[in-house]
Structures are given as structure tokens and as C-alpha cells.
Amino acid sequence: MQNLETILQTKNLGKRFKNRWAARDINIEVRRGDVFGFLGPNGAGKSTTMRMMLSLITPTEGEVVIFGKSLKRERERALNSVGGIVEKADFYLYLSAFKNLEIVGALNDGVSRKRIEEVLDLVGLLPRARDKVKTYSHGMKQRLGIAQSLLSDPELVILDEPTNGLDPQGMKEVRDLVLHLARDQKKTIFLSSHLLNEIELVATRMAVINKGEMVVQGNVQQLLDQGEKYVLLRAEPKAKVTAVLRGQKQLVGKFKEKGGAFEVTTDFEMIPLLTKALVNGGVRIHAIIPRRSLEDYFLSITENDTIA
């Protein structure tokens, strides 16, 4: 039976800086075992919300409840099984990774050498443990930050944009690490991102935030699958494309030309048959891109993406 225990909950959480609300009425529910994606464009209020979750800043209104304990009234007990990095971890670049973690561990009632080696091994940095951090790539520093958040062996790990600024290989390494922590280490993960694709690849549940306000929350696949599905078809000549689409009523719901391409409503399972029909009709296909309503919405709110 699936465990639906709620271990992190925000209740009407909000933070105001002078006359501006950075986040307001944020209601999030994270269940044990979730990889929970917190999605929104840069400046949407993700980091502010996560800072409130970790008690790094005080909410203007609302509260955070972790493992059934109010952060406002039982801060130490609430955060006892939580590890997290907001924005980016800072290190002494002239010291080794091992020494950096040793210093952090000393600030938290001490961490054994064995545990430091365990977390470095977990993030794939044990072979470079004695190297100075200034010799690390950006991706290695990101993984070292995750190692730092794991020192106390927390049940809940909160990560802010862990793939930010990484190349495709670095992004894959972090994704694989997040999945390993969830599946094999049985951690509950809360991570933010401004990339829908990243959330889709790792998260089980998600929430979307924009301009400091919650937009939607739920199961990732259900949210992505709800509403209309269509393909963005780039093909020519247009006259032949139109003729084929009009003749394939069993495959095509409706279609329209937009921005030099065709938006074609169809089930994704029908794409191979539709492709075959277009090719047989003398159409030259340049691209067929599956799209969903949530993707369109998210693209629309990130068009004017700015860092705040």
C-alpha cells in the first residue's frame, strides 16, 4: 500500500519585502517518498519559499509544518531530519572537498570521517576527496553541495536548482543522483527548477509557481496528460499537408496553421500512422513535436523570464 504520509506542508505561506510580495498563499503538500518538483521561471518566488521552509527567513504570514511539527514553534525538532541547499553551496576553494565537509560537520555536532566518505562516495566524488575544490568543475561543485546536504543523513532533502548552469552530462549526473537518493536511499526529495523537462524526468509530483503565486499542484504525469494533446508539425508543401490532414479524420481531430507550422490535435499513439500517411501523401517532414497544454502554459509564463 502506498504511503501517503505528509512530511512537508506549507499553509498560506507568504513573504513580503516592503510593498512587494515575493511569495503569497503558497500551499504545498509533500508526501513521504516523493520526488517533488517545484517549477517556475526565474524570479517566481521559488528560492524565497524554500528559504522559508528551511527557516533561513521568517514568513510574513502562514506557516511551515515538517514531520508534523510547526517550524514556528518547534524549529529545531522540525528541521532535525532535513538537509538542504538554497541557491548554491559555498566552499573554501583552497581546501579539499573532505576538509570542507569536515568543517560543515563540526558545525553540526560533528560528523564521522566514515560518514563524510560515504556521502562523497554517494555523489561520485570519493576519488577526488583530497583535491582542492578550486580544481572542481561546476558539476562537481553542485554534487559536493548535495553531499553537504546529506551529511546528517536526512529523511527530507531540499535542493534549489541543482542542475542550474550544468552541461547536458552534468545535468544527467545530477538527475541520476536524485533518482538514486529517492529509490535506493529512500529519501524524500524537494527540488526546484525552471526547466519543465528536468522536472518531468525525475519528479513524481509537482507544483508550479509564477509571480509568487501557486498555479497548480499534483501528480506530474496526470498534470502533463490533462487537457489537449497535439503535435507541432513542420512540413511542406503546405497544400499537400493540408490535403493529407483533411483526409485523415480517424487520426486527426483538428488542425490549424500557425507560425509556419501546423498544430494537429491527435493522440500521441497515432503519430507513427500520421507520419506514414504524410509521407505517402508526398509531404516532406522536417519535424513532428508532441506538445501538451501544461507545456504551452509553462512556455507562456517563461517567455519573459527574468532573474530576480
Side-chain angles (χ1 to χ4, degrees):
M1 184 175 177
Q2 188 180 9
N3 191 336
L4 298 180
E5 176 192 357
T6 298
I7 65 171
L8 169 63
Q9 187 175 19
T10 66
K11 301 179 178 179
N12 302 317
L13 192 64
K15 180 65 177 179
R16 184 178 61 211
F17 296 100
K18 295 184 179 179
N19 295 323
R20 182 180 70 88
W21 285 93
R24 193 171 193 184
D25 293 328
I26 304 298
N27 292 282
I28 292 172
E29 183 179 296
V30 180
R31 302 165 184 168
R32 186 176 296 278
D34 276 346
V35 176
F36 193 99
F38 194 35
L39 183 67
N42 292 328
K46 301 189 300 295
S47 293
T48 298
T49 301
M50 296 170 82
R51 285 179 176 277
M52 288 188 284
M53 288 177 179
L54 289 168
S55 194
L56 299 174
I57 58 174
T58 303
T60 304
E61 61 183 22
E63 68 173 328
V64 179
V65 178
I66 305 177
F67 298 109
K69 301 173 182 65
S70 170
L71 199 57
K72 188 184 300 182
R73 295 186 294 274
E74 301 178 83
R75 180 182 183 276
E76 188 172 338
R77 293 182 66 197
L79 294 174
N80 193 45
S81 294
V82 180
I85 297 292
V86 178
E87 293 185 347
K88 70 181 184 70
D90 288 322
F91 302 106
Y92 295 105
L93 299 180
Y94 58 89
L95 296 178
S96 69
F98 189 96
K99 188 63 179 177
N100 268 278
L101 295 189
E102 201 172 43
I103 292 170
V104 174
L107 297 174
N108 294 281
D109 299 324
V111 176
S112 70
R113 294 173 66 87
K114 180 182 178 183
R115 180 57 186 168
I116 294 173
E117 290 177 351
E118 284 175 351
V119 298
L120 286 170
D121 189 34
L122 194 59
V123 301
L125 292 177
L126 189 56
R128 298 285 303 275
R130 303 294 175 178
D131 294 349
K132 293 180 179 180
V133 174
K134 68 179 181 181
T135 67
Y136 279 20
S137 67
H138 182 53
M140 292 170 71
K141 289 175 183 174
Q142 292 284 76
R143 284 185 280 139
L144 184 57
I146 295 175
Q148 180 178 312
S149 73
L150 296 171
L151 277 175
S152 63
D153 197 17
E155 294 180 58
L156 171 64
V157 182
I158 297 176
L159 303 172
D160 189 9
E161 300 262 15
T163 62
N164 195 29
L166 299 184
D167 60 21
Q169 180 59 34
M171 293 171 76
K172 182 181 184 303
E173 289 172 356
V174 171
R175 282 199 308 268
D176 290 346
L177 176 57
V178 167
L179 291 172
H180 174 63
L181 291 174
R183 294 171 182 171
D184 304 320
Q185 300 291 314
K186 307 303 180 186
K187 307 291 186 189
T188 300
I189 311 291
F190 183 99
L191 76 159
S192 70
S193 180
H194 62 277
L195 303 172
L196 176 59
N197 178 252
E198 283 298 298
I199 294 298
E200 183 180 2
L201 288 172
V202 299
T204 53
R205 299 180 64 246
M206 66 182 283
V208 178
I209 183 174
N210 186 41
K211 297 179 181 177
E213 297 183 356
M214 285 277 294
V215 176
V216 69
Q217 178 176 200
N219 176 278
V220 170
Q221 208 53 53
Q222 289 175 358
L223 289 175
L224 289 172
D225 287 344
Q226 72 181 10
E228 195 171 65
K229 296 180 183 179
Y230 69 94
V231 296
L232 190 65
L233 171 65
R234 299 189 186 280
E236 57 183 0
K238 292 181 180 180
K240 287 186 177 180
V241 175
T242 301
V244 172
L245 293 177
R246 283 177 177 164
Q248 294 294 326
K249 294 182 179 179
Q250 72 276 22
L251 302 179
V252 176
K254 58 185 178 181
F255 68 92
K256 64 180 179 180
E257 190 176 350
K258 184 178 179 181
F262 291 87
E263 290 184 358
V264 184
T265 303
T266 184
D267 288 332
F268 291 167
E269 294 78 10
M270 297 293 105
I271 291 176
L273 294 175
L274 179 59
T275 303
K276 183 179 180 180
L278 288 164
V279 171
N280 289 341
V283 171
R284 297 188 300 277
I285 300 172
H286 300 294
I288 297 182
I289 307 168
R291 296 287 287 270
R292 292 164 291 196
S293 56
L294 184 61
E295 289 174 294
D296 288 342
Y297 170 75
F298 192 70
L299 286 171
S300 74
I301 66 174
T302 56
E303 282 178 355
N304 296 315
D305 187 0
T306 56
I307 297 174

